[in-house]
Structures are given as C-alpha cells and as structure tokens.
Amino acid sequence: MKNAKELMLEYTAFSFRDPKTAAEMFAEDGAFELPYLATFGLPTQYRGRDAIAGFFQSVLDIYPGFKFENTNVLIDTPDQAFAEFEAIIRSFARTWTTDLKDRRIRSNVVSPGPIDTPLASRQSADVIARIVSTIPMGRMGKPEEVAKAALYLASDDSSFVTGIELFVDGGRAQV
C-alpha cells in the first residue's frame, strides 16, 4: 500500500495526462480546490469525481502541455502529505503578455506562499511550525499582504510591469 507522499507524487506526475484516472484518486464526494483560479474567473472548487475529471480535461483542452512541476513535499507522514507544486501559470502570463499586448492588457502572476487562512488554521501546531520553518521571514503570510500585491499589479503604479511572477511568500521561493 502506498503512503501519502507516494500518492501525492504519483498524482502530480500524471494527473493532467489522464483526467479520469486522476479523478479516481479522490473520494466519490472529494473536492479539488485551487483558490487562485478565481483570478481567471473560474470556479475555485470542483466536487465529485466527474466534476474533477471535467475540470482537468478542460485545462488540457485549453493548454495541452499543462502539468505540475517542482513538487516539494513539506509534510510527510504515513497518513498525510502536504506539498507545494508549480503549475505552468507563470508560462501563461508570459504567453498572454505577448498575445494581449496589442490590446494593452498586462498579464502578471501573484504566487502566494503559506498564508494564514481558515484552512491553514485547521492544521496542527506541528504542521504549521514545520511550514513556518521553511519561510525566511519566520511566519505565515496574511491574506491582506497578498491582496496588496495584487492591487499593486492592478494599479497604474505598475503600468510598466508585465509578464512577471510576484512571489508573496516571505522569501521562500528565493532560497
């Protein structure tokens, strides 16, 4: 029987190559949630295997080469794995920068690190401590810090900024 880490790595390796098989790794009433999808006007949660498989397939239809990259398992116990991984969202921003330039639309990505949200508060103190130990600033971020970064990119103050990925992660991605 595979442990949580093995399942996580297997999932991120093939999930978007075979949406139906990837959805089978979820409980029948399981949910797949990516809060940053709201940035693109998409629902942030897909509940149930059919909805999850449909979402994965729709991503492949639009971006055939989509995949998770650089999976970094932060918490590894026999029953639980917590991982971060990169999707090719930053590649989207670069592509959109070129595709949308004639319409004078700027495209940037905000990549938050561990943020103190209600979901994070459900984790044990030990899990939070392990996550915080990976952040150079020594703390979780605040939702308003991510919001301020997004507002900056949406404002005229960033009128000459496009095609970037702005990390709001306490320096974590840089070390």
Side-chain angles (χ1 to χ4, degrees), residues 49-174:
R49 289 179 182 154
D50 290 340
I52 293 166
F55 167 69
F56 290 167
Q57 187 60 57
S58 69
V59 171
L60 280 178
D61 291 345
I62 298 168
Y63 304 102
F66 186 90
K67 63 182 177 179
F68 291 111
E69 297 175 337
N70 302 328
T71 301
N72 180 21
V73 177
L74 303 171
I75 307 299
D76 178 20
T77 68
D79 301 322
Q80 181 182 18
F82 175 79
E84 291 182 327
F85 43 82
E86 298 173 16
I88 58 170
I89 297 299
R90 68 175 176 264
S91 295
F92 297 164
R94 290 182 190 127
T95 300
W96 293 334
T97 295
T98 303
D99 291 349
L100 299 173
K101 69 179 179 184
D102 293 337
R103 294 172 57 190
R104 302 178 84 186
I105 297 173
R106 296 180 294 121
S107 176
N108 298 296
V109 174
V110 175
S111 291
I115 304 299
D116 189 11
T117 64
L119 179 63
S121 68
R122 291 190 284 183
Q123 301 300 318
S124 71
D126 182 51
V127 168
I128 296 296
R130 284 192 259 175
I131 293 170
V132 167
S133 74
T134 67
I135 304 169
M137 292 187 76
R139 66 176 178 85
M140 301 275 280
K142 298 174 187 169
E144 51 271 16
E145 291 171 314
V146 177
K148 287 176 183 177
L151 284 172
Y152 165 72
L153 290 174
S155 76
D156 288 339
D157 291 339
S158 67
S159 62
F160 198 59
V161 178
T162 191
I164 68 155
E165 181 174 14
L166 178 58
F167 292 94
V168 184
D169 67 354
R172 189 168 184 212
Q174 308 310 314

